[in-house]
Amino acid sequence: MKNRKYLYRLSKVMLLGLFFPALLFFMIFWRYAFDQIEQGNEDFYENALLTYTSLLDKKIQDLERFAAEISAESRRYDSTLFEGAENLTEDPYQLYVTVNELSKKYTRSDVVEWGIYFYDTDKIITPQYAYTLDHFLYKYTGKNRTEAECGELFSEERYSIRNTLFHTTGEEEIYNRYLLAGVCTRIGKSNDRAMIFYVLSPKNISDSLAIVGGEGIAYYLLDKDSDDVLLAWGEIPEKSAGEVLASDAWKRISGIKQKVLYNIKSNYRQLSVTAYISQNSMQSDLIDWAVTIRILLLCTVIFLLLICAVALYVSYKPVHELIREIDDSDGGEFERIRNTLNGKDSKIGEQEMLILDLLVNHLIYGVPIAEERIKRLGIEESARYYCVFLTGGYFFTNSEAEKLSAHVKEHHNARIFITDWQEENYSVVIAFLHEEDISGLQEELARWLQENYAPGYTLYTGRTVDKLENIQLSFRSCLSQMKKKNDKKQKSDGDIPTSREEQQKKMKEEVLAYLELHYRESDLSQVQVADRFRISNYTLSRLFKNQVGVGFAEYLTAKRLECAKELLLTTSYSVKEVAAMAGFASENYFSRTFKLYEGVSPSAFRKK
């Protein structure tokens, strides 16, 4: 994970910035939207079923009014029912006339059959026929009176002029039953006890009511006192009524909990209606639609996740391809890239040092340049001509030298190396050229020096040579110009001023004293120290190697490690705090360096 810090950080940004908001929006939208759909769906069925039951009540009330109408008209002298039940029993013709009158005057198409039962004569008259009670019951049940449960409807014990009575034909299959609804009343001038009753089938009920969303709904008409099923209609499920009514009012449909049993009370105290919403209902269609929308939303979220993955791949691919070429396995991607670049800068700096060392030793001290070293350092391929410049009266800092080098490279396509010649108080500029003419470069150096650095500068230009081993000739020509101007004898090439050792010793003491005060500063660098003492990076490097015996970086790292070891052994600061206090830029770099030099990690060193 440490090696993929940028990848994990990029993943978190994309997930937190795109995927999680989309997922959160989906969850909130889905929960809120479905709650609204679910509640609206339940309200819809609740209201629809209340309307349905109300219409059923109105149908029965209409039959009650019909019974009241017949009862009232039977008291008219012109009614065949005026003389009473005894007259109908004794006179067959009168019975025939009464049946005929009923069929013509009181026709109803919304019931299977209706009739009048006379309690005193045990006779039933319908618009089609006159029955004995036994005959009538056998017609609808196939059983005798004593066996037929619906015979209880006509029993004298249940006679009550203020009530409407209900019963069924008692068939085993409830959807084949008939509902018997009877209104107890009085008939004719003698107020004979009678019941005007109706035979209703499930089809009569469902066809005559305004069904709202009736698909996939089964209706059960129950006796409120006994909870017995009187009648069933609608889309009856395969399982029995007992299983349906005993089941939980809520069930899972497409993985969503939904209400499937609705219990609605009728205005009649004897009745209640239960509706069962099956898989074929509009509710299920609505749920299926909602589930489909949820799947689409989930697919959208997954698609966004894929977009995140593609964007992550596109964004991270260049970094991945870059770090594949990096051997360093410590730290995150950018830290590894930074370390690699720093390493390359360090190698470039070392190469610059080697080139300068090679050139300075050749120019000033006459050390010959070996051909294999020229090839190894890549000097041979960098230019076709060479020239040396001497500037007096001013020493370049490293930042100034870098600026001047960049300017010359941009405007004259030349590479220059700049160092100081401490013994003679001069700076040496060595130019690697692609063209022999150096007039433009000479003018540019003069203008640059005058405008940016030293108005009172002195600039000597050596001759241009076409071979690197002859570059000392260019340097000698500068010395010759300097000799003529100063009117004094130039020292021999190998002669070293007697004050050189003293100068270097004094410089070493000053630099070491400065480092003793500032080595804990994490941004302290060799370039910064060189600029502080107005010497070149090369001169400072040579000073440490010649006077201290180690390079600047090794010395500075050793000082910081000594400080860190003391802090680890004598304090309780964390490793991160020790690293910062000792001058290391990061905890990772400190731990890596400490283990490289000491063989153990800082934590292990402290435990020892």
Side-chain angles (χ1 to χ4, degrees):
M1 184 173 181
K2 290 183 178 180
N3 295 337
R4 296 288 185 271
K5 287 182 178 179
Y6 175 69
L7 175 61
Y8 290 110
R9 186 164 60 245
L10 190 60
S11 302
K12 288 178 182 177
V13 169
M14 288 190 174
L15 288 175
L16 294 176
L18 182 60
F19 177 70
F20 281 140
L23 183 61
L24 184 62
F25 170 78
F26 161 71
M27 296 300 294
I28 294 174
F29 171 79
W30 166 252
R31 190 65 266 169
Y32 174 78
F34 190 76
D35 284 346
Q36 295 300 309
I37 292 172
E38 189 178 57
Q39 187 61 50
N41 180 59
E42 291 173 18
D43 292 343
F44 168 78
Y45 275 101
E46 198 80 45
N47 294 330
L49 294 172
L50 284 171
T51 302
Y52 193 92
T53 304
S54 176
L55 290 172
L56 178 62
D57 289 344
K58 287 181 179 179
K59 181 178 180 64
I60 297 174
Q61 289 169 7
D62 179 56
L63 295 177
E64 289 177 340
R65 286 192 296 270
F66 179 68
E69 179 185 348
I70 294 174
S71 176
E73 292 186 356
S74 70
R75 290 173 172 79
R76 294 165 57 109
Y77 68 92
D78 58 343
S79 172
T80 56
L81 297 174
F82 182 73
E83 296 297 331
E86 291 292 337
N87 182 48
L88 298 176
T89 305
E90 295 173 357
D91 187 350
Y93 175 76
Q94 191 66 29
L95 181 61
Y96 166 76
V97 173
T98 302
V99 171
N100 190 47
E101 180 184 325
L102 294 179
S103 64
K104 290 180 178 179
K105 190 174 181 179
Y106 303 106
T107 58
R108 293 197 68 97
S109 61
D110 58 344
V111 296
V112 175
E113 191 172 17
W114 73 273
I116 304 172
Y117 171 66
F118 295 95
Y119 282 88
D120 295 332
T121 61
D122 210 21
K123 194 84 170 180
I124 292 177
I125 301 174
T126 72
Q128 291 81 29
Y129 198 71
Y131 303 91
T132 63
L133 182 58
D134 290 339
H135 184 195
F136 179 81
L137 296 179
Y138 188 82
K139 174 183 176 181
Y140 283 99
T141 64
K143 299 177 182 179
N144 298 322
R145 180 194 294 195
T146 55
E147 299 174 325
E149 294 180 1
C150 61
E152 296 178 7
L153 180 73
F154 304 100
S155 66
E156 294 188 11
E157 289 80 3
R158 296 192 65 186
Y159 179 84
S160 176
I161 200 167
R162 291 184 298 274
N163 289 336
T164 299
L165 307 177
F166 300 94
H167 214 292
T168 60
T169 56
E171 294 289 339
E172 291 183 1
E173 296 181 349
I174 56 176
Y175 48 86
N176 286 331
R177 292 180 183 177
Y178 294 95
L179 176 66
L180 300 178
V183 180
C184 298
T185 185
R186 297 279 182 169
I187 296 293
K189 66 177 182 178
S190 57
N191 287 328
D192 294 329
R193 292 184 306 158
M195 174 188 289
I196 299 175
F197 66 90
Y198 317 94
V199 181
L200 299 171
S201 70
K203 190 174 186 305
N204 294 141
I205 296 175
S206 59
D207 288 350
S208 59
L209 300 182
I211 303 176
V212 183
E215 293 183 359
I217 306 178
Y219 299 93
Y220 299 90
L221 187 64
L222 305 177
D223 185 301
K224 194 179 297 183
D225 295 329
S226 63
D227 287 333
D228 291 337
V229 179
L230 299 177
L231 202 65
W233 66 93
E235 295 191 14
I236 308 299
E238 293 182 359
K239 53 186 177 181
S240 68
E243 290 179 292
V244 172
L245 298 175
S247 61
D248 192 351
W250 296 83
K251 68 181 294 187
R252 292 274 175 183
I253 299 178
S254 300
I256 300 167
K257 193 176 182 183
Q258 288 293 305
K259 191 174 183 180
V260 293
L261 279 182
Y262 292 83
N263 297 313
I264 303 101
K265 293 182 179 181
S266 168
N267 289 330
Y268 291 92
R269 65 174 184 82
Q270 307 97 315
L271 300 179
S272 67
V273 179
T274 297
Y276 172 72
I277 314 299
S278 71
Q279 293 278 5
N280 300 322
S281 66
M282 187 178 67
Q283 170 179 270
S284 296
D285 295 338
L286 189 62
I287 292 172
D288 290 340
W289 172 82
V291 171
T292 302
I293 295 298
R294 181 174 65 178
I295 293 173
L296 289 176
L297 288 173
L298 282 173
C299 290
T300 302
V301 172
I302 293 172
F303 178 70
L304 288 175
L305 183 60
L306 291 176
I307 291 178
C308 285
V310 171
L312 188 65
Y313 172 78
V314 172
S315 302
Y316 188 71
K317 184 179 179 182
V319 179
H320 175 67
E321 291 178 349
L322 184 61
I323 63 174
R324 277 196 310 179
E325 302 177 5
I326 299 175
D327 295 332
D328 186 11
S329 59
D330 292 330
E333 294 92 328
F334 289 110
E335 187 176 354
R336 293 168 63 185
I337 293 172
R338 188 183 300 110
N339 292 339
T340 301
L341 292 177
N342 289 339
K344 289 185 179 297
D345 288 343
S346 178
K347 289 181 180 179
I348 292 172
E350 290 177 2
Q351 187 181 42
E352 294 275 346
M353 290 291 184
L354 289 173
I355 293 173
L356 275 175
D357 192 43
L358 186 68
L359 293 174
V360 170
N361 283 336
H362 178 63
L363 295 178
I364 300 176
Y365 307 118
V367 178
I369 301 176
E371 184 177 349
E372 61 274 8
R373 295 195 69 185
I374 294 175
K375 293 180 179 179
R376 189 167 63 249
L377 294 174
I379 301 174
E380 189 178 53
E381 301 175 356
S382 62
R384 295 174 58 192
Y385 300 97
Y386 310 90
C387 183
V388 177
F389 299 87
L390 283 179
T391 62
Y394 188 79
F395 286 119
F396 293 96
T397 64
N398 289 282
S399 59
E400 292 169 347
E402 287 178 2
K403 277 186 179 182
L404 181 57
S405 298
H407 181 79
V408 169
K409 184 175 182 180
E410 180 181 357
H411 292 87
H412 297 278
N413 194 24
R415 182 182 181 189
I416 63 173
F417 297 90
I418 303 175
T419 187
D420 47 11
W421 188 13
Q422 290 287 324
E423 293 89 341
E424 297 293 339
N425 199 26
Y426 275 87
S427 292
V428 181
V429 180
I430 306 169
F432 285 35
L433 310 166
H434 290 276
E435 298 178 357
E436 188 175 5
D437 184 13
I438 62 169
S439 58
L441 175 60
Q442 183 180 6
E443 292 176 1
E444 186 67 28
L445 286 175
R447 184 190 65 78
W448 181 270
L449 287 168
Q450 187 169 6
E451 290 180 358
N452 294 281
Y453 301 132
Y457 73 95
T458 303
L459 178 65
Y460 301 104
T461 304
R463 56 179 288 193
T464 303
V465 297
D466 59 358
K467 291 184 179 180
L468 186 61
E469 57 265 27
N470 294 331
I471 199 172
Q472 193 177 39
L473 299 176
S474 181
F475 179 64
R476 288 180 181 275
S477 67
C478 290
L479 294 179
S480 178
Q481 296 173 43
M482 183 177 65
K483 178 181 176 183
K484 288 180 182 179
K485 185 173 182 178
N486 295 332
D487 194 23
K488 62 181 181 180
K489 183 180 179 181
Q490 175 64 37
K491 298 178 181 180
S492 63
D493 295 343
D495 191 14
I496 301 176
T498 55
S499 62
R500 178 184 177 191
E501 290 81 1
E502 295 178 1
Q503 290 177 356
Q504 289 185 345
K505 183 177 180 182
K506 181 180 179 182
M507 179 68 69
K508 180 194 74 171
E509 291 173 353
E510 292 176 355
V511 171
L512 293 181
Y514 180 81
L515 289 180
E516 189 66 34
L517 294 175
H518 299 280
Y519 73 92
R520 294 188 179 191
E521 299 173 6
S522 60
D523 59 346
L524 185 69
S525 65
Q526 184 172 339
V527 172
Q528 181 182 345
V529 175
D531 288 346
R532 167 67 176 75
F533 290 96
R534 306 294 295 182
I535 59 177
S536 67
N537 201 23
Y538 167 77
T539 299
L540 181 61
S541 177
R542 298 302 303 171
L543 176 70
F544 264 82
K545 288 184 178 179
N546 294 333
Q547 297 294 319
V548 182
V550 295
F552 177 87
E554 290 85 352
Y555 179 84
L556 185 60
T557 300
K559 288 289 293 180
R560 289 171 172 171
L561 286 175
E562 286 300 321
C563 175
K565 289 193 289 185
E566 182 179 353
L567 290 172
L568 288 171
L569 295 175
T570 59
T571 69
S572 59
Y573 292 119
S574 66
V575 173
K576 184 176 182 180
E577 291 173 326
V578 168
M581 294 172 68
F584 290 92
S586 68
E587 181 184 358
N588 288 337
Y589 176 69
F590 168 62
S591 299
R592 189 166 61 249
T593 304
F594 195 95
K595 189 171 184 180
L596 179 65
Y597 279 83
E598 301 298 329
V600 294
S601 66
S603 300
F605 178 84
R606 170 175 276 172
K607 291 178 181 178
K608 291 173 60 178

